[in-house]
Amino acid sequence: MSEPVAFSDLARAAYCPRQLYYARREDRDPPPEHDRARDLAAQYDALAVAADAALATYDLAVEPPEFRSNLRASLDRHGRVADPAETAAYVRGKDAHGRVGKVHTGPLSVSIVTPGSPPEAGVWEPQSVRAVAAAKALAWREEQPVERAYVEYARHGVVRELSLTTRRKAAYRRALRAARALDGPPPRLHDDAKCGACEYREECGAKTRTLRSLLSSGD
Ligand code: SF4
């Protein structure tokens, strides 16, 4: 049986297999905003009633009034994220392992906590893959199904719920295959949005459209 793959590797494989190749070679520590997001996610009830001056002392991605309004709306819909059964729990499943932001019971579900920004609706694909990986690992540990997960964009006060649909599970399996098959650098994506935001773009040498137009304007 293959060794379980790290949740973080699966999220990278979903973003770009080549990025995973660089991340495995370099083994960088996660940036500090990850810890700050987890710190925010641990005190939602207090933050939802905190004054602007108090909120301004935190690493928020939006202004305090917007954060408070987002958080109150999130807690109205998904209040259980403020009272998890476990936090920062290490979970090892059959195919994947890693730390989950929160574990909820009744029904069993998981939260992924991210310092990033939410999309207009739903969640970004790498976070969906990570959430499915965490949910499946928890299901393996608890020997019962996990059908829902949450992605907490903690620095925005935004919480999105997702169900483990056939499409999401298929994306997870694709990422698992890509992570297991990695052997040498995969091809570049040529995706301006993804490459422009990628922390490994210099090593990779991918040229975004802005750079390509600058280079071609010098021809
Ligand atoms: S720059 Fe683009 S192709 Fe290169 S690793 Fe990053 S996302 Fe992948």
Side-chain angles (χ1 to χ4, degrees):
M1 199 167 71
S2 308
E3 278 293 296
V5 177
F7 298 154
S8 53
D9 280 12
L10 292 169
R12 286 195 190 278
Y15 188 89
C16 168
R18 190 174 171 102
Q19 188 194 71
L20 174 58
Y21 168 78
Y22 289 118
R24 279 188 176 167
R25 283 203 324 184
E26 292 199 1
D27 198 20
R28 291 180 191 172
D29 288 334
E33 58 263 29
H34 282 261
D35 281 342
R36 296 199 288 261
R38 278 192 283 270
D39 181 42
L40 288 164
Q43 40 186 327
Y44 285 153
D45 281 338
L47 294 171
V49 293
D52 287 2
L55 290 177
T57 64
Y58 290 92
D59 177 32
L60 305 182
V62 291
E63 292 300 316
E66 184 179 348
F67 175 85
R68 198 171 41 240
S69 157
N70 289 346
L71 183 57
R72 287 179 181 178
S74 294
L75 294 182
D76 281 349
R77 297 190 64 182
H78 313 297
R80 63 200 311 235
V81 300
D83 187 23
E86 297 174 56
T87 52
Y90 175 77
V91 182
R92 187 178 176 91
K94 178 167 73 71
D95 294 317
H97 72 104
R99 210 160 283 285
V100 300
K102 299 172 185 171
V103 173
H104 312 285
T105 49
L108 202 58
S109 59
V110 289
S111 280
I112 300 300
V113 177
T114 171
S117 301
E120 285 287 311
V123 305
W124 300 110
E125 183 86 350
Q127 291 156 355
S128 168
V129 164
R130 190 181 188 123
V132 172
K136 288 178 86 67
L138 182 66
W140 175 263
R141 185 188 86 174
E142 296 294 319
E143 298 182 339
Q144 56 175 291
V146 178
E147 298 299 341
R148 307 199 79 71
Y150 301 90
V151 178
E152 301 182 20
Y153 297 92
R155 295 171 62 238
H156 293 255
V158 171
V159 177
R160 299 261 165 86
E161 182 179 17
L162 58 95
S163 50
L164 270 67
T165 59
T166 306
R167 189 195 68 76
R168 290 191 190 285
K169 288 178 190 169
Y172 158 74
R173 282 195 297 273
R174 272 198 306 277
L176 190 59
R177 280 196 299 275
R180 284 191 166 143
L182 197 65
D183 178 24
R188 294 184 181 91
L189 286 187
H190 302 298
D191 177 322
D192 285 347
K194 281 189 172 180
C195 297
C198 176
E199 68 211 89
Y200 293 98
R201 61 185 176 278
E202 293 201 355
E203 291 94 317
C204 176
K207 294 181 178 63
T208 60
R209 184 171 301 141
T210 316
L211 183 55
R212 278 202 301 275
S213 60
L214 278 173
L215 291 173
S216 62
S217 69
D219 287 349

